[in-house]
Amino acid sequence: MTISLRNRRALRNRRAGAAATATALALASLAALAGTATPASASGWATASGPATAATALAPASAAAPKPASPAASASPASGDPAASAALTLPRPTGPYATGRDTLFLTDHERTDPWVPAAGPRRLLVSLHYPARPGSGGGPAPYMPEEEARLMLAQRGLDDPEWPGLVAATRTFSRTDARPAPGRFPLVLLSPGFGTPRATLTGLAEELASRGYVVATADHPYESTGTELPDGRVLSCAACDEVAAQPDEAGRRKVLAAVSTGRAADFSFLLDRLTGPRPAWRHARAVDARRVGMAGHSIGGNAAASTMAADRRVDAGVNMDGTFFDQVAGRGLGGRPFLMLGTDPAHAPGAGDTSWDEGWARLDGFKRWLTVRDSGHFTFTDTPAIGEQLGIVDPDAPLSAARSTTITRAYVTAFFGRSLRGRPARLLDGPTPAYPEVLFQRP
């Protein structure tokens, strides 16, 4: 990802200061609290006793966090500078379709919120990206509310008051109120990492939509650093507090397993509302309910397996670097395909996360176990693109933003093309010189 000369100058003109330096050192962790047992690359959360886990990743980034690569990373954007406020942008989607985005706020009256029962029924905020007619719609869809950005950054010690506006204003490529392209399209569900706003999977959602998928990305209430409701109220991460309150690792893993199975219930409800007799989405006719996939990052990847175990309507799943706190069922997933895409070497066979070895043995359909050299836990999200534009380099995850984006897009879209559309996917047959970073694991 590159930015214009004007924007580079704006970034270089940010004022220096100790507080901004601390912000830069921690920025590479802006994607999420880590829901993984891999080394918390791009977060500074690895501990002296071993890899960080989701349960130990609830503290702000430490002094071991990545260091800024340039003066731009150790200064704040100049106040009122429009170039600085527009400097960040997601990678452009590569598919043939323009993309639109809608937002749904849904209430499941049959379930009480598991983390805050006093809040009443379970609610979901959902971003829907979809193939759109070129030239239709309004302006670019916003990336995330500024308050969500502020809370996400504050969790990681990012206290410069101008950073939230910069991140919230990241440019997207989907239009609001765009008319859907003609036809019916497979549906892909996306679930973010633990503690992470759904916005951090926007780049992947836009790519899939541009290639002819409807994509529904859910925020799971009380499981993110901040979820802003339509009325302006902001929900905090009660589930994070529940994990932190546990007396031992077994207790923390039990709560995190409940996060994954709870998300499965969220997505079954969402499928009902998107594909049932009275759909909640105005463009629901664009969804082909016979072809449904799911992918997630970190604990959202675990949730893909949990959802498939609970709901036969989901035909294929992808786990992007997430521990299986809720282990794959002993009976398998009914022969349905599943992709495990993770960091290397931490998610290689026999490495730190043994849940992948156990999950692999139980998967009973088409399956692939891929790991990516030089990657970090957040490689598969928007974090590399945003962090690199701000001059951040993580020495523990040297894979560039461009390669992070290209690899994630290539393998996830190849998998769903094969699984939901029956298209050849030679990319999944074995190693290729085009992607030397990607290792095919065959335990």
Side-chain angles (χ1 to χ4, degrees), residues 16 34 54 75 80 88 109 119 123 129 141 200 267 307 313 377 380 417 441:
L88 305 184
H109 293 284
R123 293 167 291 182
H129 291 85
T200 54
F267 279 108
T307 304
R313 290 175 292 180
H377 183 55
F380 313 102
Q441 304 294 348

Side-chain angles (χ1 to χ4, degrees), residues 1-14 27 70-73 77 81-92 163 166 169-171 173 384-392 401-402:
M1 175 58 61
T2 59
I3 56 177
S4 68
L5 177 61
R6 180 187 182 193
N7 285 345
R8 286 199 299 270
R9 287 171 176 166
L11 289 169
R12 281 196 294 266
N13 287 335
R14 293 172 183 171
L27 184 66
S70 70
D81 187 339
S85 64
L88 305 184
T89 182
L90 295 180
R92 182 180 294 275
W163 281 100
L166 186 66
T170 298
R171 183 191 173 194
F173 290 89
I386 291 175
E388 190 170 286
Q389 290 173 80
L390 289 165
I392 301 301

Side-chain angles (χ1 to χ4, degrees), residues 42-207:
S43 72
W45 284 324
T47 65
S49 60
T53 67
T56 63
L58 297 174
S62 71
K67 296 180 180 179
S70 70
S74 60
S76 301
S79 298
D81 187 339
S85 64
L88 305 184
T89 182
L90 295 180
R92 182 180 294 275
T94 64
Y97 290 97
T99 61
R101 198 198 78 183
D102 271 350
T103 303
L104 294 181
F105 181 51
L106 304 175
T107 301
D108 184 355
H109 293 284
E110 296 184 3
R111 297 170 59 216
T112 300
D113 191 276
W115 307 114
V116 184
R122 182 68 160 169
R123 293 167 291 182
L124 292 181
L125 265 170
V126 181
S127 294
L128 284 154
H129 291 85
Y130 55 93
R133 295 178 184 268
S136 67
Y143 184 62
M144 68 163 56
E146 187 167 338
E147 181 63 8
E148 286 189 11
R150 185 188 70 79
L151 290 168
M152 181 178 70
L153 297 170
Q155 163 63 26
R156 293 146 187 90
L158 311 180
D159 56 1
D160 188 299
E162 295 180 14
W163 281 100
L166 186 66
V167 173
T170 298
R171 183 191 173 194
T172 71
F173 290 89
S174 298
R175 298 278 173 173
T176 59
D177 298 318
R179 289 181 296 145
R184 303 186 72 193
F185 305 96
L187 173 65
V188 174
L189 311 172
L190 292 182
S191 185
F194 186 56
T196 310
R198 71 189 189 279
T200 54
L201 292 177
T202 298
L204 180 58
E206 290 191 327
E207 176 68 12

Side-chain angles (χ1 to χ4, degrees), residues 282-300:
R282 57 179 173 166
H283 301 312
R285 289 189 300 273
V287 175
D288 183 351
R290 300 167 300 173
R291 298 181 289 173
V292 180
M294 182 170 170
H297 170 246
S298 198
I299 208 166

